[in-house]
């Protein structure tokens, strides 16, 4: 039975950390895109905007109904055949865009559900004092809905972070690809993937801690 190579694992950790900026960069940029697009789609659904509402339904159905890996391959390898200008898109940009578009569909549903969960009297009271619907949504409804949507959104953030591991399939040099290369060259598969798992786990622990602090902050008014 082969013993666990602790020195190798200790040497591998700094190498994975050196590739962490790429992972975190994709996570942050994709999260901003997904959150912004998800909010827009949620508002389209809540306000039942004609035409756009149907397109939003199709968008959400497609991105929730097809595998993320297929979407990444379609975006990076497939669309450039139709749009030659997309050949200049780097793998990092393609993964970031793909993650953002994919998780926007889940965040849209979380935000929509949270908005619908707010009592309609909140909107009615806002309109009665002279606010328009968008102002009432921004100043009254969304602050309350954010507290309800936070757990669901945080789950999406965590899934997005872990899904950056698929970037290695497009050749992005992030922590998953670094672990893959090291494991293939050293044959220390257990050590490489265990250290990788611990890095992801630590990142998720930090995000969970941030979620609890945010929930406490939002809950102070209640």
């Amino acid at each position: 039975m082969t013993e666990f190579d602790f020195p190798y694992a200790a040497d591998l950790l700094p190498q994975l950390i050196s590739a962490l900026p790429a992972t975190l960069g994709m996570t942050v940029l994709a999260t901003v895109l997904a959150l912004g697009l998800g909010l827009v789609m949620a508002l389209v659904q809540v306000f039942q905007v004609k035409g756009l509402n149907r397109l939003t339904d199709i968008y959400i159905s497609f991105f929730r109904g097809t595998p993320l890996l297929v979407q990444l391959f379609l975006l990076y390898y497939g669309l450039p055949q139709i749009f030659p200008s997309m050949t200049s898109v780097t793998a990092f940009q393609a993964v970031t865009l793909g993650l953002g578009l994919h998780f926007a569909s889940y965040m849209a549903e979380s935000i929509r559900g949270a908005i619908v969960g707010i009592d309609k009297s909140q909107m009615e009271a806002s309109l009665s004092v002279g606010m328009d619907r968008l102002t009432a949504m921004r100043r009254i409804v969304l602050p309350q809905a954010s507290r309800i949507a936070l757990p669901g959104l945080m789950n999406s953030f965590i899934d997005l972070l872990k899904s950056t591991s698929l970037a290695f399939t497009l050749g992005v040099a992030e922590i998953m690809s670094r672990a893959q290369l090291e494991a293939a060259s050293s044959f220390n598969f257990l050590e490489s993937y265990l250290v990788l798992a611990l890095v992801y786990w630590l990142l998720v622990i930090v995000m969970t801690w941030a979620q609890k602090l945010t929930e406490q902050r939002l809950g102070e008014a209640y």
Side-chain angles (χ1 to χ4, degrees), residues 90-108:
T90 65
F92 180 91
Q93 294 169 338
V95 173
T96 301
L97 179 60
L99 289 172
L101 295 176
H102 178 83
F103 283 96
S105 62
Y106 291 92
M107 294 185 187

Side-chain angles (χ1 to χ4, degrees), residues 31 52 62 67 74 82 89 93 113 126 138 155 170 179 188-189 200 212 219:
T31 296
L52 292 179
F62 175 80
L74 181 63
I82 303 175
V89 175
Q93 294 169 338
S126 302
R138 177 174 57 86
N155 284 336
L170 300 187
N188 289 326
F189 296 101
Y200 277 116
K212 291 181 179 179

Side-chain angles (χ1 to χ4, degrees), residues 1-12 188-196 198:
M1 181 177 178
T2 304
E3 295 183 356
F4 189 88
D5 192 340
F6 286 98
Y8 172 83
D11 291 338
L12 177 62
N188 289 326
F189 296 101
L190 174 61
E191 293 85 349
S192 297
Y193 293 127
L194 181 58
V195 172
L196 176 65
L198 292 176

Side-chain angles (χ1 to χ4, degrees), residues 38-170:
L39 176 60
V40 171
M41 289 193 293
L43 293 176
V44 167
Q45 290 186 316
V46 170
F47 289 127
Q48 293 292 304
V49 181
K50 291 184 178 180
L52 292 179
N53 186 46
R54 182 57 180 167
L55 290 176
T56 298
D57 289 340
I58 295 173
Y59 177 99
I60 293 175
S61 177
F62 175 80
F63 280 96
R64 293 179 67 183
T66 56
L68 173 57
L69 186 58
V70 173
Q71 295 167 17
L72 293 178
F73 283 173
L74 181 63
L75 184 64
Y76 189 59
Y77 296 114
L79 291 184
Q81 295 182 5
I82 303 175
F83 307 103
S85 60
M86 291 190 66
T87 55
S88 62
V89 175
T90 65
F92 180 91
Q93 294 169 338
V95 173
T96 301
L97 179 60
L99 289 172
L101 295 176
H102 178 83
F103 283 96
S105 62
Y106 291 92
M107 294 185 187
E109 289 295 281
S110 296
I111 297 172
R112 182 193 63 80
I115 293 175
V116 172
I118 301 300
D119 197 300
K120 293 182 179 180
S121 62
Q122 298 287 322
M123 176 62 76
E124 294 171 356
S126 302
L127 296 176
S128 67
V129 296
M131 290 186 185
D132 58 69
R133 293 179 67 84
L134 286 178
T135 302
M137 182 65 68
R138 177 174 57 86
R139 299 183 60 180
I140 305 299
V141 177
L142 285 180
Q144 298 179 69
S146 62
R147 179 169 171 266
I148 301 174
L150 181 61
L153 290 176
M154 187 56 66
N155 284 336
S156 295
F157 296 157
I158 291 174
D159 285 342
L160 193 157
L161 167 66
K162 293 186 293 185
S163 295
T164 58
S165 60
L166 295 176
F168 86 95
T169 61
L170 300 187

Side-chain angles (χ1 to χ4, degrees), residues 174-222:
E174 40 76 62
I175 59 176
M176 180 65 183
S177 64
R178 185 63 60 86
Q180 286 269 61
L181 291 173
E182 293 297 326
S185 62
S186 65
F187 296 101
N188 289 326
F189 296 101
L190 174 61
E191 293 85 349
S192 297
Y193 293 127
L194 181 58
V195 172
L196 176 65
L198 292 176
V199 171
Y200 277 116
W201 188 20
L202 180 59
L203 291 173
V204 171
I205 289 175
V206 172
M207 294 181 70
T208 303
W209 172 75
Q211 175 188 352
K212 291 181 179 179
L213 288 182
T214 306
E215 287 178 345
Q216 291 176 1
R217 183 67 180 273
L218 293 175
E220 288 178 355
Y222 298 87

